[in-house]
Amino acid sequence: MLIRPATAADLPAINDIYNYYVFHSTCTYQTEAETMEARREWFAGHGLTHPVIVAQEADGAVVGWGSLSRFHKRQAYSRTVENSVYVDAANLRKGIGRTLLARLIELAGQAGHHTIIAGIDAEQAASVALHRAMGFSEVALLREVGHKFGRWLDVIYMQLMVG
């Protein structure tokens, strides 16, 4: 498996992976499919300090992706990023998410970021465990801040200091 910077050609695969979770999981609080236009705009807002990476199999298929995004638009937050990691549902439990997150942590340090924030739905035990295993600490629990699939959802915030 190759971990590499994403290109515009990867956006359909990135969007397909993400949209699966929009409709089948609480790992994103988005409730409507992400359009390709919105995905292209999102991608244009990323770059060297806010990278998007993909996990690619030998046959060229993208089976996961990750990103570092601005945590907040105000300038004093500029060295704080939020991570996202999504793996194709047919490829879970193969270490792809761990590999992507490890690379994002490296890239955050190389870009001069100070801390990474992860906002994780409290029901997503595998994601919480992955972040904990990668050195993140739980710093907050926000109760009933999301509403999806007819129920209220809690968010756990985890944090890793990288610089």
Side-chain angles (χ1 to χ4, degrees):
M1 181 177 52
L2 172 68
I3 303 296
R4 62 168 176 77
T7 68
D10 298 316
L11 294 180
I14 288 170
N15 220 34
D16 286 347
I17 291 168
Y18 181 76
N19 280 335
Y20 171 85
Y21 292 102
V22 169
F23 295 111
H24 297 98
S25 177
T26 58
C27 67
T28 175
Y29 284 9
Q30 189 161 330
T31 58
E32 295 183 10
E34 183 79 353
T35 65
M36 279 306 300
E37 179 180 333
R39 181 60 65 196
R40 283 189 288 274
E41 184 177 316
W42 168 85
F43 187 66
H46 286 74
L48 291 177
T49 58
H50 298 97
V52 179
I53 60 175
V54 295
Q56 179 182 315
E57 291 188 322
D59 66 1
V62 171
V63 293
W65 64 273
S67 66
L68 295 176
S69 300
R70 290 185 63 105
F71 174 69
H72 197 285
K73 67 181 179 178
R74 292 195 175 109
Q75 186 58 33
Y77 291 103
S78 67
R79 294 181 58 207
T80 300
V81 290
E82 184 172 14
N83 77 285
S84 295
V85 174
Y86 290 90
V87 176
D88 178 73
N91 288 282
L92 296 174
R93 311 259 187 260
K94 296 181 179 179
I96 297 168
R98 177 181 293 272
T99 303
L100 286 164
L101 183 54
R103 182 65 181 136
L104 289 174
I105 292 167
E106 290 173 8
L107 291 170
Q110 291 170 8
H113 293 301
H114 183 63
T115 189
I116 304 172
I117 303 293
I120 305 169
D121 178 77
E123 295 177 357
Q124 299 297 320
S127 185
V128 171
L130 170 62
H131 282 79
R132 188 172 289 125
M134 299 299 291
F136 284 72
S137 299
E138 189 173 322
V139 293
L141 173 65
L142 305 179
R143 296 195 180 276
E144 298 184 2
V145 294
H147 191 267
K148 188 172 180 181
F149 304 135
R151 63 187 192 277
W152 288 104
L153 304 168
D154 300 341
V155 173
I156 295 171
Y157 272 91
M158 299 183 81
Q159 182 177 18
L160 177 69
M161 307 306 285
V162 293

